[in-house]
Amino acid sequence: MMLLHILLKDLRRHRWEILLFVAIVAAWAWQQTHRFYWLEVHAKELLVIVMFVLWFFLTIRGVQGESLVGDREFWPTRPYRTWQLFLAKAAFLVLCLNVPLFLAQLYLLAHAGIPLSPSLLPGLLFLQLEFAWCCTLPAAALAAVTDSIVQWVLSIVAMLIFGLAVSWLPWNSLSATFAGTEQLATWCGIIVIGLALLAALIWQYSHRRSGPARIVIAAAVVVVPLCIAFASTKLARLLAYTAPNGLPPVSLSLAPANQRTYTRTDGFGTATLQVPVYAASIPADTLVVIEGTRFHFTGNDGWDSKTAWATAAIVLSSQSSTAELSFPVPKSTADQIRRTHATIQAEIEMAVYHISAPYTIDTTPAHFKIPHVASCTLWSLESQIFRFSRLDCVAPLRMPDVYVTRLDSSENTCSQLNRQPRLPAGHWAMGVQYGSGIPADFDPNPIRTFDLDTGIGVWNPPIYTPQDPSTSRTASICRGTPVTAQYGWLSGRVHATYQLGPAGTESPTHPIEPSDDDSTPFSPRAT
């Protein structure tokens, strides 16, 4: 069979490059499981860089072994058929690149104590598809329209120069982008660019006409800045955040009319308003994350003003139902809001997650498992003046779309540093971590590592230190501290509009020092 003959010929021709690549992959896998200080400091990323340089080199050598450019190659006189040559090259690249990486990933999973199970196979295969689509395909398409490695490198340099020129464009003048629009634009780019490169590769193998293939590849490069611009458009927001079926997943309201106050903080030319809101009707199995906000103000005398879209990161749940919506406006607008007793209309872009029932994690043993999520190791060293604790957790392939940890001050087991008083009861702290939302993260190492107490922050309501009443005490996990956890998956992204009513009374102005970049949008946080 001609396909097998071509494959065996390529394996013999490139045997030394293949052996070098396999050796580097093995060395990289060994480095991941045997952490040494010198390697971590001086050569942490060296092997993975060499590995992907060889990945591209092998791809170029394999494709250009039978050059598709020019009319001086002798191989067209042989009894090669287009589909045989194309499939032989594809098999060569999968066998020499993806198979060694796949075996290394199995070793890394076994070393981390994660047994191979049928549930992991789809994610591992998806991971191979990711590297084939995002690494092998672009390198092969470019190699198909160049006749040497030098030309390939010069083409990459030209693309880098194009990228540098594009980076000088006024991207800051575009509207704010949110997690949903960025994810939509990214997937559009990956699919469109990948299909364009695949079409150029098939065309080149079928017709050996480099001109049209090069035009298609150049068009694929131009798609990248177009996707960045697309993420900030109204169309992207409409596609990423759809109108809810029925009522919004959360009901937002201000305080009762006689208790409404908002905080104004004056900066250099702008004022930041913080409006407390209350969320209701959130089911216990639902988590809502506000990712973008825009506000419309209407005054008594017909005055109205609308803010630009701004990013946000506000987490709302049945256990955390209060938050502050914050937005910068010109000082003149803030004055008009106070003077005209303006009403507020809020447009909200939110992500809705379906979460599991809460369960308690016992952190007493040095090693413990988080059901359906990860395995963790607790490193803890405590004294009256010093405390070090870290929860290193490992998960296969990916994190859940969202993972929530919650602590209760009355159950915290951490020693009190510098003879601080014990934590009073009635306070809580919450940390939220997000996954990528795909079957496997784009990373050669299939092990996801994270710290369980990442993002927990301070106690809520704040617990202030006796030495400095303006400083809030941070929350952390120590040995034996019960941790309430929930994990969940994205169920959709929603656009909702709320009529919040009159803004209420303005609290005293608190001036702040101007920053170097006053245009940076304020990112709201959960309270």
Side-chain angles (χ1 to χ4, degrees):
M1 184 178 179
M2 186 59 65
L3 189 155
L4 182 60
H5 285 303
I6 299 172
L7 176 60
L8 293 176
K9 179 265 300 178
D10 283 341
L11 292 175
R12 288 193 302 269
R13 174 186 291 181
H14 305 296
R15 60 187 181 277
W16 296 115
E17 297 102 307
I18 296 170
L19 288 174
L20 180 59
F21 177 77
V22 171
I24 292 297
V25 171
W28 166 77
W30 179 86
Q31 182 192 27
Q32 298 299 305
T33 56
H34 299 77
R35 303 287 180 146
F36 290 96
Y37 177 78
W38 187 91
L39 290 175
E40 291 291 315
V41 174
H42 301 285
K44 182 178 181 180
E45 306 296 339
L46 178 61
L47 285 178
V48 73
I49 292 173
V50 173
M51 182 172 70
F52 280 102
V53 168
L54 288 174
W55 186 298
F56 294 135
F57 180 74
L58 260 176
T59 302
I60 300 167
R61 290 275 288 162
V63 172
Q64 292 183 348
E66 279 79 17
S67 179
L68 304 173
V69 178
D71 57 4
R72 301 179 61 182
E73 292 295 319
F74 69 91
W75 69 264
T77 62
R78 294 184 178 185
Y80 284 3
R81 292 190 178 182
T82 299
W83 67 270
Q84 291 175 331
L85 182 61
F86 181 81
L87 292 180
K89 296 298 181 180
F92 170 78
L93 295 175
V94 170
L95 183 62
C96 297
L97 301 176
N98 290 93
V99 170
L101 181 62
F102 179 77
L103 295 176
Q105 290 167 346
L106 294 181
Y107 164 73
L108 292 173
L109 287 170
H111 187 273
I114 301 174
L116 181 64
S117 62
S119 62
L120 291 180
L121 283 178
L124 285 169
L125 295 178
F126 181 83
L127 188 57
Q128 305 311 311
L129 177 62
E130 284 184 297
F131 282 98
W133 191 263
C134 299
C135 295
T136 307
L137 178 58
L142 194 57
V145 297
T146 54
D147 63 1
S148 66
I149 293 179
V150 174
Q151 278 196 8
W152 191 93
V153 172
L154 290 177
S155 300
I156 293 295
V157 172
M159 292 180 187
L160 293 176
I161 293 174
F162 172 77
L164 180 61
V166 167
S167 68
W168 291 349
L169 295 176
W171 298 106
N172 292 336
S173 62
L174 297 177
S175 299
T177 59
F178 313 126
T181 58
E182 290 174 356
Q183 188 178 74
L184 174 65
T186 299
W187 277 110
C188 288
I190 290 174
I191 294 172
V192 171
I193 294 173
L195 290 177
L197 295 176
L198 184 60
L201 189 61
I202 294 175
W203 169 273
Q204 187 70 346
Y205 269 96
S206 301
H207 299 85
R208 295 187 63 218
R209 292 176 57 193
S210 302
R214 288 170 178 169
I215 292 174
V216 172
I217 292 174
V221 174
V222 176
V223 169
V224 175
L226 293 180
C227 288
I228 297 174
F230 171 68
S232 63
T233 63
K234 180 179 179 180
L235 177 60
R237 288 197 300 271
L238 292 176
L239 294 174
Y241 299 90
T242 59
N245 294 323
L247 295 176
V250 58
S251 175
L252 293 181
S253 62
L254 300 177
N258 60 345
Q259 300 177 10
R260 292 182 185 176
T261 60
Y262 65 91
T263 303
R264 170 178 171 175
T265 305
D266 286 347
F268 184 74
T270 62
T272 297
L273 305 185
Q274 294 177 293
V275 180
V277 294
Y278 303 86
S281 70
I282 304 180
D285 63 349
T286 299
L287 185 78
V288 175
V289 180
I290 296 178
E291 298 179 335
T293 58
R294 183 170 68 173
F295 302 90
H296 186 196
F297 306 100
T298 304
N300 294 338
D301 57 358
W303 172 84
D304 68 81
S305 178
K306 184 178 290 186
T307 67
W309 281 102
T311 57
I314 303 176
V315 179
L316 297 171
S317 67
S318 59
Q319 298 178 336
S320 176
S321 57
T322 62
E324 284 188 345
L325 300 180
S326 303
F327 43 90
V329 295
K331 288 184 178 179
S332 58
T333 301
D335 294 337
Q336 287 286 77
I337 293 173
R338 180 188 63 229
R339 186 180 302 114
T340 62
H341 306 287
T343 59
I344 305 176
Q345 179 192 75
E347 293 182 78
I348 306 295
E349 312 287 29
M350 64 183 75
V352 182
Y353 295 89
H354 181 77
I355 56 176
S356 67
Y359 57 92
T360 301
I361 301 172
D362 181 13
T363 62
T364 303
H367 305 279
F368 57 90
K369 291 185 178 295
I370 304 176
H372 311 292
V373 178
S375 300
C376 298
T377 300
L378 175 62
W379 309 90
S380 181
L381 180 63
E382 299 187 31
S383 68
Q384 290 296 322
I385 60 174
F386 172 81
R387 177 173 67 237
F388 170 79
S389 62
R390 180 178 175 86
L391 270 170
D392 289 329
C393 301
V394 295
L397 301 175
R398 57 168 295 186
M399 285 280 292
D401 289 354
V402 65
Y403 190 73
V404 184
T405 52
R406 183 182 173 99
L407 307 180
D408 190 299
S409 60
S410 63
E411 300 176 329
N412 193 268
T413 59
C414 296
S415 60
Q416 308 308 313
L417 302 180
N418 300 323
R419 298 181 179 179
Q420 292 184 359
R422 293 192 59 82
L423 296 171
H427 300 258
W428 56 271
M430 185 172 69
V432 182
Q433 300 185 60
Y434 302 96
S436 62
I438 57 178
D441 292 343
F442 184 65
D443 191 317
N445 192 334
I447 306 300
R448 303 277 68 77
T449 59
F450 63 98
D451 191 346
L452 189 62
D453 60 0
T454 296
I456 289 181
V458 299
W459 294 104
N460 193 349
I463 303 175
Y464 297 104
T465 61
Q467 296 83 358
D468 184 0
S470 64
T471 303
S472 301
R473 296 174 65 175
T474 58
S476 58
I477 300 173
C478 299
R479 188 176 301 280
T481 300
V483 180
T484 302
Q486 293 174 281
Y487 65 92
W489 312 97
L490 181 68
S491 60
R493 285 188 162 92
V494 176
H495 170 89
T497 301
Y498 298 94
Q499 300 291 344
L500 298 179
T505 306
E506 180 185 295
S507 65
T509 300
H510 300 285
I512 60 176
E513 294 296 328
S515 63
D516 294 334
D517 182 12
D518 196 60
S519 63
T520 303
F522 185 85
S523 297
R525 295 180 298 175
T527 61

